Amino acid sequence: MRRYDLDWLRVIVFGLLIFYHVGMFFVPWGWHIKNNVLYEDLTWPMRFLNQWRLPILFVISGMGSFYALNKRNGFQFMGERIKRLLIPLIFGMAVIVPVQVYAERVYKGEFQGGYFDFWPQLAFIGVYPEGNISWHHLWFLPYLLVFSLILTPIFVYLKRNPEAAFIKFTNRIIAKPLGLYLFLLPLYLIESLVEPFFPSTHDLLNDWFNFSNFITLFFFGFLLMTVKDTFWKVVQQRRRAYLYCGLIGFTLMIGLRIIWEDSVLIHFIEAGFMVFNFWSWILAIFGYAATYLNKPGKRLSYCNEAVYPFYILHQSVTIAIGLYLYDLNWGFWAKASILVIGTFGGCWILYELVIRRVRVFRLLFGLKSEKKTKLPQQPGKISTIT
């Protein structure tokens, strides 16, 4: 059966992504452009979101892949992935992301002139950060594409063999009181042993920590769907316990960072707190979503289609607005409100008036060819682009 809660989660998490990137304008962490006043206290809610927002997206993407294979063979699935991920990536790198690079060059005093003095003449010279070619926030798309292509043979085997010993073993493990926490073992090994040597780059080729971590979560998402009702019953029944574990995990992680300086021992302890924290929040979120959000609706249908174009557009819109705001002597709430409203509003105008109505733009933004999503949607299908 269709999981409407996964559709809702996908929409909600990407909505939070817009708030997160607006927050990046104001916190001391490195970003493309920064406000003239930075707010240290804002890092706490940002840290909270940062722990689980990307992991849950890859888990949801793996779950979506399970549904995508219901009516496709392996080759059709890979072809669909290429069409809905590679085409928007190329278009985004050529048209959407250059807005961000231009704004950063102007902000840093590295370029003077209008946007069309920069694009296309200079936008495709060299690779970022030295040059201007980049996928910036769209890094999620090539990772998801590569993960899908690599794991397709395994996914097809698991789909064709629902009684396989591995699936039966997973089903038995999940049903146990702490069974879902056994999934932490590979995540902990990656966090503790790989992360120190491979800092995050999002360049795909040399980003071994993110690559190994996110492909594992992507696979977990698919695997959890193979056991079907067992997983959903467990997270619903134990959602409150997972919530408490998440609160404990986040408190321990933050407390450790505040009290002790970094060391080899502290690193291994912190890695345990981190994976325990974000996995607990993921399980709690799935549990509460399954309880309260597993219902269809016209609003969900609209948002579920709009979320992919919003994702592609949003950071460029935020940074373009920020370029005009960063040096103004306005307070946090005034600037943040303009950025949030402007980003959502700008993305909605482009989506509603152009993207969803023009066939070529539907293709470029990874949408299906039909202009309207019909309700009720076919059971067993869920959008898999996250």
Side-chain angles (χ1 to χ4, degrees):
M1 294 181 61
R2 183 181 180 88
R3 299 291 317 190
Y4 295 102
D5 48 351
L6 292 181
D7 289 333
W8 275 117
L9 281 180
R10 178 171 170 268
V11 170
I12 291 169
V13 173
F14 272 115
L16 289 173
L17 182 63
I18 292 179
F19 286 98
Y20 182 84
H21 282 151
V22 168
M24 288 296 293
F25 183 70
F26 296 101
V27 294
W29 306 339
W31 205 50
H32 308 293
I33 65 174
K34 307 297 292 186
N35 188 42
N36 56 0
V37 178
L38 302 180
Y39 300 87
E40 184 72 35
D41 290 344
L42 189 59
T43 61
W44 297 110
M46 295 283 285
R47 288 182 190 277
F48 171 72
L49 280 178
N50 200 35
Q51 287 299 301
W52 54 264
R53 64 183 181 88
L54 285 173
I56 198 172
L57 282 176
F58 280 102
V59 174
I60 292 172
S61 297
M63 292 176 168
S65 297
F66 180 89
Y67 286 109
L69 279 166
N70 277 346
K71 293 188 176 182
R72 298 179 180 91
N73 60 36
F75 291 107
Q76 291 170 333
F77 173 73
M78 289 189 289
E80 188 257 0
R81 297 294 82 191
I82 292 171
K83 178 181 178 181
R84 299 193 67 195
L85 292 169
L86 186 58
I87 292 176
L89 174 64
I90 294 172
F91 173 74
M93 292 177 65
V95 177
I96 308 300
V97 172
V99 174
Q100 302 175 42
V101 181
Y102 165 77
E104 181 177 351
R105 300 299 183 217
V106 172
Y107 166 77
K108 293 180 177 179
E110 298 171 351
F111 181 79
Q112 294 180 346
Y115 180 67
F116 290 103
D117 297 320
F118 175 83
W119 188 93
Q121 294 91 333
L122 304 176
F124 308 114
I125 298 176
V127 177
Y128 184 89
E130 292 78 15
N132 298 324
I133 301 174
S134 175
W135 50 47
H136 272 37
H137 71 294
L138 300 182
W139 68 267
F140 183 83
L141 302 184
Y143 281 66
L144 193 58
L145 176 60
V146 171
F147 295 168
S148 299
L149 298 180
I150 290 174
L151 292 176
T152 292
I154 299 174
F155 287 172
V156 170
Y157 172 80
L158 293 176
K159 286 286 290 185
R160 291 179 178 175
N161 298 275
E163 299 300 318
F166 183 61
I167 294 178
K168 289 183 176 179
F169 172 77
T170 303
N171 201 18
R172 290 196 302 270
I173 290 297
I174 288 175
K176 296 182 182 298
L178 298 176
L180 280 167
Y181 280 103
L182 290 178
F183 285 70
L184 290 181
L185 180 58
L187 297 174
Y188 174 74
L189 294 175
I190 294 168
E191 183 70 41
S192 61
L193 300 177
V194 180
E195 189 273 340
F197 303 101
F198 296 97
S200 178
T201 64
H202 295 154
D203 68 358
L204 188 62
L205 299 179
N206 302 296
D207 196 21
W208 286 106
F209 166 67
N210 280 330
F211 189 95
S212 56
N213 191 45
F214 292 143
I215 196 173
T216 301
L217 290 162
F218 182 67
F219 174 73
F220 282 174
F222 188 94
L223 180 62
L224 291 172
M225 294 306 298
T226 65
V227 299
K228 300 178 181 176
D229 291 342
T230 302
F231 170 73
W232 297 109
K233 288 179 180 177
V234 168
V235 293
Q236 279 189 268
Q237 292 171 356
R238 300 170 185 162
R239 63 187 185 276
R240 184 173 296 180
Y242 296 139
L243 176 62
Y244 293 154
C245 287
L247 292 170
I248 292 170
F250 186 70
T251 302
L252 291 172
M253 185 185 69
I254 295 300
L256 188 71
R257 290 183 177 182
I258 293 174
I259 297 173
W260 283 282
E261 295 183 0
D262 194 20
S263 67
V264 174
L265 176 61
I266 295 300
H267 166 74
F268 280 98
I269 296 174
E270 184 182 35
F273 290 166
M274 288 180 65
V275 296
F276 176 76
N277 170 62
F278 80 68
W279 188 244
S280 296
W281 282 107
I282 288 174
L283 297 179
I285 290 168
F286 279 138
Y288 281 97
T291 304
Y292 299 109
L293 297 180
N294 194 18
K295 57 188 72 174
K298 292 183 178 180
R299 185 177 301 174
L300 173 61
S301 178
Y302 183 90
C303 292
N304 198 39
E305 182 183 68
V307 68
Y308 193 21
F310 268 58
Y311 160 68
I312 294 172
L313 291 168
H314 81 276
Q315 186 162 291
S316 291
V317 177
T318 299
I319 289 176
I321 297 172
L323 184 62
Y324 292 94
L325 293 180
Y326 77 93
D327 208 27
L328 298 178
N329 293 320
W330 295 0
F332 167 78
W333 288 109
K335 290 185 178 181
S337 299
I338 291 173
L339 284 170
V340 170
I341 296 171
T343 301
F344 276 103
C347 292
W348 179 79
I349 290 171
L350 289 171
Y351 169 72
E352 179 62 31
L353 299 183
V354 181
I355 297 169
R356 74 186 296 252
R357 301 177 186 278
V358 181
R359 179 167 302 195
V360 65
F361 282 106
R362 294 185 67 87
L363 173 67
L364 293 173
F365 282 88
L367 303 181
K368 296 178 181 179
S369 58
E370 61 266 25
K371 291 187 177 181
K372 293 183 179 180
T373 304
K374 298 180 180 180
L375 285 175
Q377 298 179 11
Q378 296 177 356
K381 291 184 69 178
I382 163 182
S383 180
T384 59
I385 306 297
T386 54

